[in-house]
Amino acid sequence: MSNPNNVSLNINHALEFIDGNALNIPTLSILTEDGDIHPSATAPAISKHTAIKLYETMRFIRLLDERMQGAQRQGRVSFYMQCLGEEAAVTASAAALDQEDMIMAQYREQAALHYRGFTLDQFMNQMFSNELDLGKGRQMPIHYGSNELNYMTISSPLGTQIPQATGYAYGQKVKHIDAKTGELASTIDNITICYFGEGAASEGDFHAGLNMAAVHKAPVIFFARNNGYAISTPADEQFKGDGIASRGVGYGIKTIRVDGTDALAVFAATQKAREIASTQGEPVLIESIAYRLGAHSTSDDPSGYRSKDEEANYKTCPIEKFKKWLVKQQWLNEEDDLKAKESIREDILAALKRAEVVQKPALEELVSDVYDTPIPSLVRQYNELKEHIQKHPDAYPVTAGRIK
């Protein structure tokens, strides 16, 4: 029997509605709080090199976040967003990818970029918008991008990267489709991962992007970071379904929910998701559950919308959890770890001081490579700005930060 409606033809003669929470999605957890493997769980195959690199990335990002949060409070940078509490979700997912896979991030995925090889100085140059910034100083702090590392430049508007990721991933797939049969001729070399928060999943772009990916079978991993809050709006005021994962099932997408504080669970889920995307040429949705331990950004005060008691109930540190497992594998030494932290703190402060005295990009960089040839209105605006700065030079310092 034909099925033009594309629905399951399970005829029922009794009047019955399906409850909105009928789908009960489990959460994959592998590590205990003490760094042991749950008795009924299976640890993924992960090399010592990858595990150590994963931990070192999380450790670095935590220390960078602490220092740059302080730098913003000192007035040295204008804005910052921490990855506090979500380091495992971001880093372990990035570790499960191929270096050539495309990453489309939201704004809390600096760990994925550092895992790929983005250096401390590159982070600082971007945050200070100096002349060494890859983005030519055009973006606000933490809006990173790297063509070399296959990390699409971050956009401030929420959710725009989701349909873009679908389109990019479909392009990756097209190269592997047999022109005669229309079927996949081989495994797709590289896929796309798209990160976003549960708040961004309330945007129309989320629904458009997932539906397009499902219908056209784009090899994209949608990685939803459900950290409990969209700035100050709690999850229960954003949606009434079973998290974000239930929506993936609704769109016909293979879906899994993971404990976002568990590096091994995230690594295993992303590793399998990549296999599905590359061999079957279809999308996968991963929902990570990890409480946002800090504020949304340096412009936010969480005490206005959540209590200290609530925060005390969600103090699981994904870095410590994974560290305990590494120590038990005898892959990490506590004393060496402490020494490394002190060294990293010194390196971060030194890099900050270097970046804030580097000159800002030349003024003409504002209009270069926006168009092949700057259009008249852009040239006019540029000339007006140049005249304004010449009249008020003291208001426009030549360096990115403060000089003492």
Side-chain angles (χ1 to χ4, degrees), residues 10 31 35 67 85 203 210 287 311 357 379 401:
N10 181 17
L31 274 178
R67 176 63 267 182
E203 296 286 335
L210 265 71
E287 180 182 20
E311 293 177 348
V357 295
V379 173

Side-chain angles (χ1 to χ4, degrees), residues 76-341:
R76 299 170 93 158
V77 294
S78 60
F79 180 79
Y80 196 75
M81 300 185 77
Q82 295 181 308
C83 188
L84 208 62
E86 299 183 73
E87 293 94 346
V90 176
T91 314
S93 55
L97 302 174
D98 185 89
Q99 184 78 3
E100 301 302 314
D101 291 340
M102 175 57 71
I103 293 177
M104 294 198 181
Q106 187 162 301
Y107 44 51
R108 214 181 295 277
E109 290 82 26
Q110 53 264 43
L113 186 54
H114 185 61
Y115 189 89
R116 285 273 173 99
F118 207 66
T119 68
L120 174 55
D121 283 315
Q122 286 177 314
F123 277 112
M124 290 298 176
N125 291 331
Q126 194 285 327
M127 284 184 276
F128 282 99
S129 296
N130 63 33
E131 66 180 357
L132 300 178
D133 169 25
L134 297 179
K136 298 185 176 183
R138 295 172 178 173
Q139 287 271 26
M140 63 189 291
I142 63 90
H143 286 54
Y144 309 109
S146 173
N147 184 53
E148 178 187 4
L149 299 176
N150 301 297
Y151 191 99
M152 189 68 71
T153 301
I154 294 167
S155 299
S156 290
L158 282 183
T160 55
Q161 75 276 20
I162 301 175
Q164 291 168 0
T166 294
Y168 193 92
Y170 187 70
Q172 291 171 311
K173 179 180 179 177
V174 166
K175 296 184 293 185
H176 298 81
I177 294 179
D178 187 291
K180 293 181 179 179
T181 66
E183 301 294 327
L184 273 180
S186 62
T187 298
I188 299 168
D189 296 330
N190 292 110
I191 58 96
T192 295
I193 189 168
C194 179
Y195 293 96
F196 51 91
E198 93 288 339
S202 298
E203 296 286 335
D205 283 340
F206 168 85
H207 301 281
L210 265 71
N211 189 57
M212 183 165 63
V215 171
H216 294 290
K217 294 187 175 181
V220 53
I221 300 172
F222 296 109
F223 197 98
R225 295 182 294 91
N226 186 342
N227 63 23
Y229 288 89
I231 308 182
S232 60
T233 305
D236 63 0
E237 292 182 18
Q238 298 178 56
F239 51 83
K240 292 301 178 185
D242 185 8
I244 307 304
S246 61
R247 302 182 196 178
V249 177
Y251 279 116
I253 295 175
K254 285 186 173 65
T255 299
I256 189 169
R257 176 179 289 152
V258 298
D259 177 355
T261 70
D262 183 342
L264 291 183
V266 174
F267 182 83
T270 311
Q271 196 175 52
K272 185 62 179 178
R274 190 190 185 281
E275 178 188 323
I276 293 169
S278 63
T279 60
Q280 300 178 32
E282 61 182 81
V284 181
L285 173 65
I286 299 174
E287 180 182 20
S288 162
I289 307 299
Y291 192 78
R292 193 191 76 207
L293 296 180
H296 172 74
S297 73
T298 51
S299 301
D300 173 46
D301 177 11
S303 67
Y305 54 85
R306 67 188 193 190
S307 68
K308 293 294 181 183
D309 289 340
E310 176 185 310
E311 293 177 348
N313 288 330
Y314 296 94
K315 284 297 183 184
T316 298
C317 177
I319 303 175
E320 286 300 313
K321 192 174 181 177
F322 190 56
K323 175 185 171 181
K324 290 175 182 176
W325 181 77
L326 288 174
V327 171
K328 291 181 178 182
Q329 308 309 303
Q330 297 185 340
W331 289 354
L332 185 68
N333 178 279
E334 292 269 15
E335 186 178 341
D336 292 341
D337 185 46
L338 287 173
K339 290 179 181 177
K341 288 178 181 177

Side-chain angles (χ1 to χ4, degrees), residues 58-70 80 82 110 114 120 123-124 127 144 344 348:
M58 290 196 291
R59 181 179 63 188
F60 169 84
I61 290 300
R62 176 65 67 89
L63 297 173
L64 179 68
D65 282 355
E66 288 175 358
R67 176 63 267 182
M68 297 316 296
Q69 178 90 356
Y80 196 75
Q82 295 181 308
Q110 53 264 43
H114 185 61
L120 174 55
F123 277 112
M124 290 298 176
M127 284 184 276
Y144 309 109
I344 293 168
I348 291 173

